[in-house]
Amino acid sequence: MNLQDTPSLSETSFETAPGTPGEPFNEPAPDGYPLGGFTWRHTRHDPTRPVVIINAATSVRCRHYSRFADYLFANGFDIITFDYRGIGKSRPASLKTLNATWSDWGALDFEAMLRRAHREFPGQPIDVVGHSFGGCAAGLADSGRLIRRLLTVGAQFAYWRDYAPAQRWRMFGKWHVVMPLVTKLCGYFPGKRLGWLEDTPAGVVRDWSTPTARYEKRPSGRQMFAKGGRLPFANVTANILAISISDDPYGTVAAIERLLGYFSGSTTTHLRIEPNDIGEAEVGHFAFFRSRYQATLWPIALSWLQTGELAPDTPGRRVPRS
């Protein structure tokens, strides 16, 4: 595999220019690590107004979700976006010495955002939008009981047998062979240099690339499970809508359902959308949050966050739960 090969535009194209900028903040995680993020806050406090925390995908900066945050803000929500430790505004001077894992991103970094939302927006309902691993991170925080509604998009934790068959071996070679080898050589994954997402801490790469079907068998998942004898997913009692797109090679039905199975305390709905349901030829894994889908995909998220229900004319189909 040529290390200079990059994914197709539709696979990892990001909107990095923000719309209306949020107010920057710094928030310490429970272990003291400084996290950077942005807040969109209405002037008048309203205890009935929900605040939405947006959890990014692995190694994607929170600024990718700025226009989506603008959209939710314009429709009456307060918003928090943030970068996980090692990424974007939460990156230290050197990634080689940063001990950060997927479980840290959920149990420490997302936990900090839940506490911030609870403190900064007292009495307001807390909803969460989780993209890709961001949906998994939502189940790793001890304060998950605070979540009222959870909307996930392409959410899974990268089990290679769940990848779309036509792309499975290419993706396995890229993410489970090349990525850990390069990380071992460099001390972190130099994703920006290769055009493969952001630079990524080695511990996150170990979690991502370990080819096991259970999160508690991933390196940091094993530590979390051994420490508490359980994973915190059951803390979440939120109503969950999981959206998947049929041409997303990561977010196959099997992958989405594998993650949903961990949320044993929640009522879950899996909505499967074909690109042609919204008049598109392709959408893929990353494009949902691009502004070109403001008129087609974003209203689905907005309506569900507002009501907790799918409108009768929502495109796509509900996946029966096994």
Side-chain angles (χ1 to χ4, degrees), residues 30-210:
D31 64 345
Y33 189 93
L35 301 169
F38 299 90
T39 302
W40 284 252
R41 186 195 308 263
H42 288 84
T43 304
R44 295 183 61 184
H45 175 256
D46 180 352
T48 67
R49 178 188 299 119
V51 53
V52 176
I53 303 170
I54 300 178
N55 286 355
T58 297
S59 302
V60 175
R61 289 190 178 210
C62 68
R63 66 185 186 182
H64 172 57
Y65 306 92
S66 291
R67 287 199 172 95
F68 184 69
D70 290 343
Y71 172 79
L72 294 182
F73 181 72
N75 280 280
F77 294 85
D78 292 319
I79 312 294
I80 294 173
T81 68
F82 70 103
D83 285 317
Y84 305 118
R85 62 187 65 199
I87 307 298
K89 290 176 62 64
S90 303
R91 177 173 178 154
S94 173
L95 283 184
K96 291 184 178 181
T97 58
L98 179 63
N99 181 21
T101 67
W102 260 351
S103 295
D104 292 333
W105 284 1
L108 297 174
D109 300 353
F110 173 59
E111 172 71 17
M113 296 306 121
L114 282 174
R115 295 183 186 183
R116 179 178 179 82
H118 188 58
R119 181 186 73 243
E120 294 289 316
F121 300 91
Q124 295 179 223
I126 299 174
D127 297 337
V128 176
V129 173
H131 180 207
S132 194
F133 173 74
C136 184
L140 297 174
D142 284 340
S143 298
R145 66 188 181 282
L146 295 174
I147 305 171
R148 180 188 65 161
R149 292 176 187 147
L150 172 59
L151 170 75
T152 69
V153 178
Q156 32 66 48
F157 53 89
Y159 176 47
W160 70 276
R161 290 186 182 275
D162 289 340
Y163 295 156
Q167 302 180 52
R168 182 176 297 152
W169 290 109
R170 179 186 69 83
M171 294 169 67
F172 182 87
K174 179 176 180 176
W175 301 119
H176 301 272
V177 178
V178 174
M179 182 171 65
L181 285 175
V182 172
T183 301
K184 188 172 184 179
L185 289 172
C186 298
Y188 70 99
F189 181 62
K192 291 185 72 173
R193 196 181 316 164
L194 300 174
W196 298 4
L197 309 179
E198 293 290 316
D199 296 344
T200 305
V204 170
V205 171
R206 284 192 294 272
D207 282 332
W208 184 345
S209 60
T210 299

Side-chain angles (χ1 to χ4, degrees), residues 113 134 181 235-236 292:
M113 296 306 121
L181 285 175
N235 293 346
V236 178
R292 68 174 290 177

Side-chain angles (χ1 to χ4, degrees), residues 17-36:
T20 305
E23 175 188 350
F25 68 80
N26 287 287
E27 178 78 17
D31 64 345
Y33 189 93
L35 301 169

Side-chain angles (χ1 to χ4, degrees), residues 237-282:
T237 57
N239 190 12
I240 299 175
L241 173 63
I243 296 176
S244 66
I245 309 295
S246 65
D247 69 334
D248 175 359
Y250 301 89
T252 61
V253 170
I256 304 301
E257 292 294 312
R258 188 177 304 281
L259 177 59
L260 286 178
Y262 280 92
F263 288 96
S264 59
S266 298
T267 299
T268 61
T269 301
H270 180 179
L271 179 68
R272 186 77 169 168
I273 300 173
E274 303 273 348
N276 61 18
D277 291 338
I278 58 169
E280 297 285 348
E282 60 179 359

